[in-house]
Amino acid sequence: MKILLLGAGGFIGVNLTERLLKDGVHEVTAVDIYKDKLNEIEDPNLKYVELDICTDEAALEQAVIDHDVIVDLVAFANPALYVEDPLGVFELNFIENLKIVELCSKHSKRIVQFSTCEVYGRTSASTVGWDPKDHPQPFVEDETPLIMGPIKNHRWIYASAKQLLERVLHAYGIQKGLNYSIIRPFNFVGPRIDFLPSEQAGNPRVFSHFMNGLLYGTPMQLVDGGGNFRAYTYIDDAVDCIVRILENKDGKCDRQIFNIGKPDNELTIAELAELMKKIFNEHFRQDGDPDPEIVDVSAEEFYGEGYEDCDRRIANIDKARELLGWEPEYSTYDVIFKTMEYFVNKHRAKQGEAPVEA
Ligand code: UDP
């Protein structure tokens, strides 16, 4: 199978590219405007094409024609950006993505579209004033309503753009026979996730902020007390599921939406901070390393106006289990340990120090 990976240079794309190259079963073309993370792949069969999907329309169309399956990973996927640049998020995550959908329909190609668990929005418990802590409500792909906050909280433009794209794909499926599969990732974490804010300007996701604290001593900030939940999924577990969806044995994934997550890995952001500190102190601490404080910060201070949080995100993964025989394996501890180890080793290599002993 010839697979076109659009947005292969991001966190999910680079890990997926590496796995597909290792399997050696399919022909893979990795497309992106950035190559930094792909440079870490040492496989001689890596075929990289620098192409901006927003401007190189003819090249994009030819690439779609030349492949069997198109994987669309192109997106801004960082909450700080949803607040800072809502229009940019809409333009890339909807307008530009729509062009890819149209090309796949025009040339009768199957598309695997990356969406987000944010399409579920908030839990219905929190909208009626219940504490989400006491009301676990796993999100089910084809059943759960999608609940967004008010327009003034423009963070939801990301989730709304992704939701509309899903609805458009569904409509193309019904009216034009487009074959698609939609993936809703639930907080994938692992090597190469994000940059550290001390090393590159910007506001990445929480893991990098906390890691930055442990390596550089900046405070580990809990937004609004860090009481909201996340369930972290190790990237290797996720990629294993994604490959099954790409391969689409017996057409089981035709026009299906899949949650990919590890529901029993739930913890609050405050617990994540404590766990990362504990792991760092027990396994990675060296003389002279900082000991960051854990502090509270308001969402407005941290993100600016227009932020609202998803209170609890639990994936129901029965569909992936039943149709694909997939089961995620990595526990919370292992997910966090392995990802921290990657960052610590990268940091040590930069300082000319030896890696963590296995
Ligand atoms: N968060 C935090 N401290 C930080 C960065 C984020 O407490 O330094 C919170 C954020 O408000 C959210 C959670 O951590 O509740 C996860 O945020 P992240 O940016 O990782 O992305 P998300 O899971 O919301 O997509």
Side-chain angles (χ1 to χ4, degrees):
M1 195 160 64
K2 290 174 86 176
I3 302 175
L4 181 66
L5 296 179
L6 300 173
F11 163 56
I12 299 175
V14 71
N15 283 288
L16 178 58
T17 304
E18 189 169 50
R19 160 70 191 269
L20 288 168
L21 289 171
K22 206 178 284 167
D23 289 353
V25 178
H26 308 289
E27 219 176 290
V28 181
T29 308
V31 170
D32 210 301
I33 43 174
Y34 302 110
K35 202 178 174 234
D36 292 12
K37 293 183 185 188
L38 287 165
N39 281 338
E40 288 187 28
I41 298 180
E42 279 163 14
D43 197 307
N45 293 322
L46 173 64
K47 184 176 164 206
Y48 169 70
V49 176
E50 186 181 334
L51 184 162
D52 185 345
I53 66 137
C54 305
T55 51
D56 301 335
E57 287 180 13
L60 175 64
E61 180 157 13
Q62 193 55 52
V64 168
I65 293 169
D66 291 343
H67 291 79
D68 304 310
V69 181
I70 317 306
V71 182
D72 181 9
L73 283 147
V74 178
F76 290 132
N78 170 350
L81 264 179
Y82 318 157
V83 180
E84 269 164 46
D85 185 15
L87 275 182
V89 168
F90 171 71
E91 279 155 16
L92 184 66
N93 294 9
F94 185 74
I95 302 285
E96 299 300 338
N97 274 267
L98 182 60
K99 292 182 191 162
I100 299 170
V101 174
E102 286 165 347
L103 285 174
C104 289
S105 176
K106 180 175 169 191
H107 296 290
S108 302
K109 301 290 177 175
R110 175 169 177 248
I111 178 168
V112 175
Q113 178 68 55
F114 275 75
S115 182
T116 171
C117 61
E118 278 212 19
V119 295
Y120 294 106
R122 303 183 61 96
T123 59
S124 55
S126 73
T127 61
V128 293
W130 293 348
D131 187 341
K133 183 160 86 271
D134 306 323
H135 298 274
Q137 295 180 309
F139 294 141
V140 186
E141 295 94 336
D142 304 313
E143 287 172 27
T144 303
L146 312 178
I147 305 172
M148 306 287 120
I151 300 298
K152 73 180 171 68
N153 292 338
H154 50 262
R155 179 237 168 90
W156 296 109
I157 198 158
Y158 169 73
S160 304
K162 289 283 195 184
Q163 186 194 138
L164 186 56
L165 195 66
E166 288 197 19
R167 294 193 186 279
V168 169
L169 279 162
H170 177 73
Y172 265 100
I174 296 172
Q175 294 190 256
K176 308 223 181 219
L178 177 69
N179 192 5
Y180 65 86
S181 303
I182 291 170
I183 293 174
R184 294 179 179 163
F186 281 69
N187 293 96
F188 299 171
V189 175
R192 311 185 186 110
I193 177 166
D194 281 331
F195 59 91
L196 297 182
S198 287
E199 297 174 354
Q200 192 183 316
N203 190 351
R205 283 166 286 200
V206 67
F207 189 91
S208 294
H209 277 290
F210 289 175
M211 200 66 233
N212 198 78
L214 294 164
L215 293 173
Y216 292 98
T218 48
M220 297 167 84
Q221 304 182 79
L222 302 179
V223 173
D224 288 342
N228 289 326
F229 293 85
R230 296 292 187 268
Y232 289 97
T233 310
Y234 196 56
I235 188 70
D236 288 6
D237 272 338
V239 163
D240 188 53
C241 188
I242 296 164
V243 170
R244 291 170 198 231
I245 293 170
L246 290 185
E247 293 185 337
N248 193 19
K249 202 158 169 268
D250 304 325
K252 284 183 180 169
C253 306
D254 289 355
R255 299 189 190 99
Q256 290 287 354
I257 301 174
F258 290 93
N259 289 338
I260 300 183
K262 179 92 166 67
D264 51 351
N265 276 5
E266 250 202 324
L267 79 179
T268 64
I269 299 302
E271 288 165 347
L272 174 70
E274 292 293 350
L275 178 62
M276 287 180 70
K277 260 195 138 175
K278 181 172 177 300
I279 292 177
F280 190 82
N281 289 339
E282 287 176 4
H283 297 278
F284 303 129
R285 175 166 291 286
Q286 301 191 113
D287 286 349
D289 278 339
D291 186 16
E293 14 161 32
I294 299 180
V295 299
D296 280 347
V297 62
S298 73
E300 190 160 343
E301 231 177 296
F302 191 82
Y303 290 106
E305 240 175 78
Y307 181 75
E308 181 177 317
D309 206 358
C310 309
D311 48 335
R312 198 165 181 186
R313 295 174 179 164
I314 310 174
N316 174 306
I317 53 169
D318 290 351
K319 198 197 275 191
R321 282 185 173 125
E322 282 158 23
L323 294 185
L324 306 169
W326 173 74
E327 188 65 46
E329 286 171 9
Y330 290 88
S331 65
T332 303
Y333 188 93
D334 290 347
V335 172
I336 303 304
F337 180 93
K338 286 175 78 67
T339 311
M340 287 180 72
E341 188 180 39
Y342 166 80
F343 276 98
V344 170
N345 279 336
K346 211 172 158 203
H347 184 69
R348 289 197 186 169
K350 226 171 133 190
Q351 318 276 15
E353 293 168 3
V356 174
E357 276 174 40

